[in-house]
């Protein structure tokens, strides 16, 4: 298993002038996970033209679905445009329809030479609408990148 830390909340924020869903994950092991891939899906109810209700998993395309090396952290971004299954959904609709986000992460652990995986789910009470993530990356004077886990789950209202 990957030793992945998923943010406690996912956020819906504005990114580059567009609404976007974001979540973040960190590599707690500190080793390289090569050829990492992340998938995000939404589980939601739909009613067919015949009137049948069914639960469906719909993929949410990410700005970056693969990373050649996952060493520190990764913020997954799904732009909510007209083609998105989340288009027109607000916090009340997400909750009322008992929607849930399902996230999977896979990759190849360079230390143990094994495929690793992790998964996480976000329910309505773990979504923050109109929030963004606090910045957790900084740089030392020598240029070393530092990830501050103390604020990893923190969100800030827009």
């Amino acid at each position: 298993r990957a030793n992945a830390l998923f943010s406690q909340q996912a956020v819906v924020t504005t990114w580059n002038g567009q609404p976007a869903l974001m979540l973040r994950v960190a590599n707690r092991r500190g080793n390289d996970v090569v050829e990492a891939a992340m998938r995000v899906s939404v589980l939601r109810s739909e009613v067919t033209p015949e009137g049948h209700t069914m639960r469906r998993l719909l993929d949410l395309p990410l700005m970056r679905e693969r990373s050649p090396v996952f060493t520190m952290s990764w913020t997954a971004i799904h732009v909510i445009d007209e083609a998105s299954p989340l288009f027109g959904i607000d916090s009340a609709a997400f909750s009322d329809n008992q929607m849930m986000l399902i996230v999977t992460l896979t990759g190849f652990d360079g230390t143990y030479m094994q495929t690793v995986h992790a998964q996480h789910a976000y329910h309505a009470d773990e979504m923050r609408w109109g929030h963004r993530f606090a910045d957790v990356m900084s740089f030392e004077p020598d240029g070393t990148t530092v990830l501050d886990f103390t604020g990893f789950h923190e969100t800030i209202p827009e």
Side-chain angles (χ1 to χ4, degrees), residues 26-155:
N27 183 350
R28 285 194 287 200
R29 191 174 284 156
N31 62 337
D32 290 340
V33 175
V34 297
E35 293 303 320
M38 190 179 319
R39 290 187 67 179
V40 180
S41 301
V42 61
L43 178 64
R44 66 185 236 184
S45 295
E46 289 188 358
V47 178
T48 68
E50 298 79 22
H52 303 289
T53 301
M54 63 184 297
R55 300 283 280 165
R56 288 194 56 203
L57 272 173
L58 302 169
D59 290 333
L60 302 178
L62 301 176
M63 294 296 299
R64 175 182 290 272
E65 296 180 346
R66 303 189 72 76
S67 179
V69 180
F70 172 48
T71 303
M72 296 185 82
S73 72
W74 184 351
T75 300
I77 303 169
H78 166 73
V79 175
I80 303 173
D81 58 14
E82 295 82 12
S84 169
L86 297 179
F87 186 74
I89 301 292
D90 61 10
S91 63
F94 197 93
S95 179
D96 292 347
N97 292 312
Q98 299 176 343
M99 297 171 86
M100 175 175 47
L101 297 177
I102 299 171
V103 184
T104 60
L105 175 70
T106 58
F108 189 75
D109 185 312
T111 302
Y112 296 106
M113 304 302 178
Q114 293 182 348
T115 300
V116 293
H117 59 89
Q119 65 183 26
H120 190 77
Y122 292 95
H123 298 87
D125 62 339
E126 297 164 318
M127 301 285 293
R128 298 293 176 263
W129 300 78
H131 281 231
R132 63 177 175 82
F133 284 115
D135 191 13
V136 293
M137 301 292 280
S138 62
F139 298 95
E140 294 291 325
D142 67 358
T144 304
T145 305
V146 177
L147 176 61
D148 178 10
F149 283 104
T150 60
F152 187 77
H153 303 291
E154 186 180 335
T155 65

